[in-house]
Amino acid sequence: MQGDGTNTLQGTAIASSMIDHLFRSRAGQMVSHLTRMLGPEHLELAEEVVQESLLKALQHWSYKGIPDNPAGWLFRVARNAALDAVRHQSLVLEKEALVEADYLRRNDTAADDPRVEAGLRDDELRMVMMCCHPTLPREARVALSLKTVGGFNVREIARAFLAEEATISQRLVRAKRQIRDLNLKFEMPTGAELSDRLQSALQVIYLMFNEGYVAQSGEDLVRHDLCGEALRLGKLLADSTIGTPTSKALVALMAFQAARLSARVNASGDLVLLQDQDPSLWDTRLTAMGFHYFAQCSEGEVISEYHLQAAIASVHANATNPKGTDWKMILELYDQLMALNPSPIVALNRVVALSQVRGPEAGLDALQPLLREASLKRYYLLPVVRGHLLCELGDQASAAQQFRDALLQPCSEPERRLIQRRLAECT
Amino acid sequence: MAQYLLLLYNDPREWAKMSPEEMQKAVEKFVAWRKKLQNTGVYVGSNKLADEPGKVLRGHKPVRITDGPYSETKEVLGGYFLFEAANYQEAVRLSQDCPSLEFKGTMELRQVDAMIP
């Protein structure tokens, strides 16, 4: 008798817990899956059907508890709702889609059947590829990917991008119209088109990641989730048959950076600079993932920006204390990065590495040409770096002026507080 | 011990505005609350009611059957929980952390009148 009791208890414990982000990640999968079934012109219908199914889950599970196979439950309800919509609106499905829908209906094992799982991953990849079509504006690609594959809603996307909900809504509506008007296909591109699209997808994923990473505010978890979603999509690409060494490099880069996410913000929500971080707070699981993908990414001939960025991140990850950072190596990698992409931002980062190797004076010299750079005119980190170097040289007054200048430029609240702290130290 | 019926009214449009992540968080809260009732041994049952309005039966020979009742407010009766409590005070205490309130719902608590022996 007692044994039975224990079993039941365990059973309830399992059935009543859900994987983190189950709704969100399955929403993305289901939208992708239904979009293939219904055709990209019915993307909106797919989204509606999925939203309704999640709503049903919310209402039913609240009273009756979580079913044994929550993902399977969601899929069954969503698929049936989609087929109902097809009947009501007299949509014409491709024969293939009908056969598959029929198979899935008779074999209700969505979450367990490896064949179905692999199919769902393919659907997600195709959705990413469609959302990253080069004819769509770049901002729309990010928003659309987050909405469809990521399972974020308009409010969350707007919050993550510090944008108005109406702006994001419009962006999405326009993008969906373009998908219809351009008759974009829900399929895996091939040949040269594939590598173009892959490049665009990696760009979108990294943009998504940076959006979450750069202005991490601690109180707003959506930004944290953005990094998680970018990492998930990156892995989805990198682990698939179309995964290239470059996509593995991007995953490595994101994993290294994500590992430091929680160490970047302290208990009061303030930013902690890399050199002040406690490495024991780094997520070792993510660091290990970073090294895993980093080892794999060197397999090809190509050395992309992601490769070099990942290499830089790996040097930081290797340093168990800030004093042990191999800045010489980092400077070398920045030199290579400059050869590949001589952007002012990369140049600014290189200055930081340079000053670590050759001292603050050399850093200030290297900064000179960047002061005339138009694209950095309103970039707060330029005066921050300059102030930091001046401070090291003992010129507190000039340093303070730089930090004051930095505060006039747009930046996030935690970053603003960090600069204010630096300013206070100088005055 | 008496049984208490907790009726949950809510505005479905509030739910519809939620993101998948928010919906999951809401489900988790309900599951935890229901589990609390179960663990304290007072839980009797709970059910979601179908979304469509039901039927109202009136009159006698013939019985008049109409659709409804339609709620005059935006809130509809979504479902109920049935549990045991010593008195209203305890029943209220058990009910007041029901997550439905967090999502702008209203609840009605009624004691089930036991048959006088």
Side-chain angles (χ1 to χ4, degrees):
Chain A
M1 261 323 268
Q2 211 176 2
D4 285 341
T6 327
N7 278 341
T8 326
L9 265 179
Q10 274 172 350
T12 356
I14 292 162
S16 63
S17 65
M18 277 183 284
I19 318 162
D20 276 353
H21 312 307
L22 174 97
F23 273 42
R24 203 176 64 203
S25 60
R26 291 297 175 172
Q29 268 188 348
M30 292 192 291
V31 167
S32 306
H33 173 69
L34 295 181
T35 301
R36 179 165 55 80
M37 216 170 95
L38 302 170
E41 66 275 24
H42 297 301
L43 170 58
E44 209 137 321
L45 174 62
E47 287 182 321
E48 279 166 26
V49 162
V50 169
Q51 174 77 3
E52 260 170 53
S53 311
L54 294 172
L55 199 58
K56 278 215 172 81
L58 164 62
Q59 292 175 323
H60 282 264
W61 301 0
S62 291
Y63 291 99
K64 299 311 261 183
I66 296 163
D68 289 338
N69 178 354
W73 192 102
L74 286 171
F75 267 93
R76 191 179 63 239
V77 171
R79 218 156 32 220
N80 290 344
L83 290 172
D84 280 349
V86 167
R87 261 193 303 278
H88 281 130
Q89 306 185 16
S90 319
L91 302 181
V92 183
L93 290 191
E94 308 241 341
K95 192 161 169 263
E96 227 172 283
L98 274 174
V99 172
E100 191 194 340
D102 195 46
Y103 166 81
L104 290 168
R105 197 170 17 190
R106 279 183 289 111
N107 301 273
D108 187 25
T109 48
D112 311 295
D113 189 338
R115 213 181 96 185
V116 176
E117 275 295 305
L120 290 174
R121 274 197 299 276
D122 274 0
D123 289 341
E124 278 187 289
L125 275 178
R126 284 181 201 163
M127 183 62 104
V128 174
M129 288 298 166
M130 187 173 79
C131 292
C132 295
H133 199 282
T135 53
L136 301 173
R138 189 187 300 178
E139 286 174 321
R141 287 180 228 165
V142 183
L144 200 59
S145 305
L146 280 172
K147 179 78 179 13
T148 56
V149 202
F152 289 81
N153 77 356
V154 171
R155 194 163 5 99
E156 289 166 332
I157 300 172
R159 208 158 68 209
F161 284 86
L162 305 176
E164 295 287 328
E165 276 180 50
T167 314
I168 299 292
S169 274
Q170 268 174 9
R171 208 175 278 171
L172 288 167
V173 168
R174 248 181 265 136
K176 284 179 209 167
R177 196 184 306 138
Q178 270 181 297
I179 289 177
R180 275 194 305 272
D181 293 350
L182 298 165
N183 199 12
L184 296 190
K185 293 276 177 287
F186 196 75
E187 60 192 14
M188 201 55 86
T190 49
E193 213 196 327
L194 175 63
S195 74
D196 274 2
R197 202 78 69 82
L198 203 53
Q199 207 174 350
S200 163
L202 295 181
Q203 202 178 40
V204 162
I205 291 169
Y206 193 40
L207 213 68
M208 199 185 279
F209 184 86
N210 269 332
E211 204 58 51
Y213 187 77
V214 170
Q216 190 77 33
S217 67
E219 53 261 335
D220 203 343
L221 282 172
V222 161
R223 295 183 156 258
H224 212 296
D225 289 353
L226 223 52
C227 292
E229 179 59 16
L231 199 52
R232 189 186 74 89
L233 289 181
K235 278 186 67 197
L236 185 76
L237 265 179
D239 296 340
S240 74
T241 48
I242 56 165
T244 54
T246 304
S247 52
K248 294 191 165 87
L250 175 60
V251 174
L253 168 61
M254 292 192 296
F256 283 136
Q257 288 183 336
R260 298 197 295 260
L261 267 181
S262 15
R264 267 184 104 228
V265 181
N266 65 14
S268 43
D270 286 331
L271 274 181
V272 183
L273 291 178
L274 184 55
Q275 70 251 27
D276 303 324
Q277 285 174 14
D278 174 3
S280 71
L281 290 177
W282 294 352
D283 188 325
T284 48
R285 202 179 41 95
L286 284 168
T287 309
M289 188 204 279
F291 280 113
H292 172 76
Y293 281 91
F294 189 57
Q296 289 188 356
C297 78
S298 49
E299 277 163 10
E301 304 276 293
V302 188
I303 294 182
S304 66
E305 274 182 64
Y306 300 127
H307 280 93
L308 294 168
Q309 297 272 20
I312 292 167
S314 79
V315 176
H316 285 301
N318 261 327
T320 40
N321 69 74
K323 300 271 179 300
T325 307
D326 187 351
W327 284 105
K328 252 196 180 132
M329 179 71 167
I330 291 180
L331 180 59
E332 228 168 83
L333 289 163
Y334 270 118
D335 286 339
Q336 288 186 49
L337 200 54
M338 280 299 282
L340 210 60
N341 168 27
S343 87
I345 303 266
V346 172
L348 182 61
N349 281 308
R350 186 185 160 274
V351 166
V352 176
L354 182 85
S355 65
Q356 290 283 349
V357 178
R358 295 199 208 128
E361 230 155 327
L364 279 173
D365 284 347
L367 213 52
Q368 279 305 318
L370 292 177
L371 301 178
R372 291 186 297 274
E373 190 61 56
S375 63
L376 294 181
K377 272 268 163 336
R378 303 206 61 205
Y379 191 51
Y380 68 102
L381 280 181
L382 179 61
V384 165
V385 170
R386 215 169 151 209
H388 183 78
L389 295 174
L390 286 164
C391 197
E392 274 187 33
L393 284 173
D395 187 352
Q396 309 295 342
S398 310
Q401 189 50 51
Q402 291 303 317
F403 291 130
R404 268 184 226 112
D405 284 353
L407 286 169
L408 298 174
Q409 307 307 335
C411 75
S412 79
E413 222 21 70
E415 282 164 317
R416 190 170 297 283
R417 288 200 297 270
L418 181 66
I419 300 169
Q420 274 158 352
R421 282 208 308 275
R422 297 302 316 264
L423 177 60
E425 284 162 18
C426 287
T427 45
Chain B
M1 277 296 195
Q3 288 195 345
Y4 286 83
L5 183 66
L6 184 65
L7 299 160
L8 274 65
Y9 293 85
N10 48 47
D11 180 353
R13 289 175 313 175
E14 281 299 319
W15 300 125
K17 279 191 281 185
M18 293 169 99
S19 72
E21 188 73 8
E22 290 163 341
M23 287 195 211
Q24 176 163 350
K25 292 270 151 62
V27 173
E28 283 166 358
K29 283 181 180 164
F30 271 100
V31 167
W33 183 74
R34 180 168 169 265
K35 185 165 247 180
K36 204 172 82 176
L37 293 184
Q38 285 172 326
N39 288 349
T40 42
V42 298
Y43 175 84
V44 179
S46 52
N47 274 304
K48 175 195 180 298
L49 300 180
D51 295 326
E52 310 75 51
K55 303 288 177 191
V56 177
L57 287 76
R58 276 195 196 90
H60 177 62
K61 291 183 185 173
V63 178
R64 281 177 290 121
I65 302 164
T66 52
D67 286 342
Y70 290 102
S71 161
E72 280 163 34
T73 59
K74 288 160 203 151
E75 289 187 331
V76 292
L77 178 56
Y80 67 86
F81 285 87
L82 188 63
F83 59 85
E84 287 177 335
N87 48 40
Y88 259 113
Q89 197 190 356
E90 195 196 328
V92 166
R93 190 179 54 76
L94 287 166
S95 305
Q96 63 193 4
D97 54 356
C98 174
S100 185
L101 296 172
E102 223 178 287
F103 303 103
K104 301 184 185 167
T106 318
M107 307 193 297
E108 186 183 338
L109 182 63
R110 296 288 299 270
Q111 183 182 345
V112 177
D113 219 350
M115 172 71 182
I116 297 165

